[in-house]
Amino acid sequence: MSRAPCSGATPGSGRPRAGSPVFLTPDGSRSAHNERFGEAYGSRHGAATQARHVFVEGSGTHQHPAPRVLEIGFGLGVNFRATLADAARRGAALSYLAYEFDPAPAEVLCEVAQGGAGAGHPLWPELLRLWPGQAGAATDRVQVTHGDVTLTVQFEDVLGAGLPAGWATALYLDGFSPVRNPEVWTEAFVARLAGALAPGGVLTTYSAAGRVRRALQAAGLDVERRPGAPGKRECLRAVRPA
Ligand SMILES: C[S@@+](CC[C@H](N)C(=O)[O-])C[C@H]1O[C@@H](n2cnc3c(N)ncnc32)[C@H](O)[C@@H]1O
């Protein structure tokens, strides 16, 4: 029988457990190292700060009455929890669709979330209970709903996925760096992402690389540079004209 994903957690303890890929970041939030890409999932300068600044606020999701968020890729769920916490605080409905082709173990998601934004929302433990690797969990997708919040995570390569046309009020492009994972930053794929945005929808990313900016412009989006989260001078937001 598989253990509950958070059964080994030590609530309130500041340090990640020994031997875990999880590490603390300066704002008190946690992230983890990903072996496959040789990169951290979130900013080493403040994972929760990056999630809020670049993705939630950068896309205007914190002010949208009923955001529909598309995320590439779900990773450890840090961006999701930041969005969930914000929507719950405001009483806003939230639809969140994320793609993830290499789900991290539920124990890592649990450990990273300890004491963090959104981790106390009832939807979070429910997600971990249904996460791949747990007894009886599906491996193709998970969907959890609580009140007017719905999260769907599709466990597949987003490059081959049929994205919902004109749907997203916000798109979080967060698929590791253009150097380590160039496939999700190509002009062709970015054009597909632009097609998933609703008119007025906003794509946000922590990268400010020139070729990313040019790919966003080529996709017909209005691109703006904005101040980056700690450790980055700039990041990008790109709006689909209304
Ligand atoms: C930088 S991490 C995302 C961090 C995440 N947004 C969070 O808040 O924790 C990038 C994630 O994208 C996933 N990914 C990369 N390329 C992908 C692809 N082509 N299809 C689906 N997921 C992908 C990786 O497995 C990884 O979990």
Side-chain angles (χ1 to χ4, degrees):
M1 206 170 79
S2 68
R3 286 195 322 158
C6 285
S7 60
T10 48
S13 104
R15 269 170 302 154
R17 69 197 150 81
S20 132
V22 176
F23 58 86
L24 267 177
T25 75
D27 63 12
S29 66
R30 295 162 176 220
S31 186
H33 182 75
N34 179 284
E35 283 283 330
R36 173 171 172 178
F37 287 92
E39 259 182 22
Y41 282 90
S43 171
R44 292 186 178 273
H45 301 275
T49 304
Q50 181 193 53
R52 246 187 347 264
H53 173 78
V54 174
F55 297 103
V56 183
E57 294 172 8
S59 64
T61 293
H62 64 311
Q63 290 170 335
H64 197 287
R68 298 185 300 275
V69 179
L70 176 60
E71 179 172 48
I72 320 298
F74 187 78
L76 306 175
V78 174
N79 294 343
F80 169 67
R81 287 189 290 99
T83 309
L84 173 67
D86 174 76
R89 184 181 53 75
R90 299 186 293 124
L94 172 67
S95 299
Y96 200 104
L97 168 62
Y99 285 83
E100 178 53 62
F101 68 177
D102 187 16
E107 290 74 11
V108 175
L109 271 72
C110 171
E111 193 180 351
V112 166
Q114 246 180 275
H121 191 285
L123 196 139
W124 183 251
E126 181 62 6
L127 173 70
L128 295 185
R129 198 178 64 75
L130 299 170
W131 194 253
Q134 303 307 297
T139 53
D140 57 343
R141 85 201 275 259
V142 61
Q143 186 165 69
V144 280
T145 298
H146 189 271
D148 47 14
V149 177
T150 296
L151 165 69
T152 306
V153 187
Q154 291 285 147
F155 299 112
E156 63 179 295
D157 189 336
V158 69
L159 299 175
L163 302 175
W167 178 78
T169 60
L171 197 156
Y172 301 170
L173 179 50
D174 194 14
F176 287 127
S177 67
V179 171
R180 302 281 176 136
N181 192 22
E183 287 89 350
V184 298
W185 306 90
T186 64
E187 271 199 18
F189 183 64
V190 166
R192 289 189 51 219
L193 293 179
L197 284 172
V202 183
L203 181 154
T204 47
T205 178
Y206 63 85
S207 176
R211 66 183 144 128
V212 174
R213 207 170 65 242
R214 288 189 291 278
L216 294 166
Q217 281 162 343
L221 305 179
D222 296 333
V223 184
E224 253 175 66
R225 281 188 271 214
R226 42 188 301 270
K232 276 269 192 192
R233 198 157 53 88
E234 291 181 325
C235 62
L236 298 176
R237 79 194 292 271
V239 184
R240 178 170 172 180

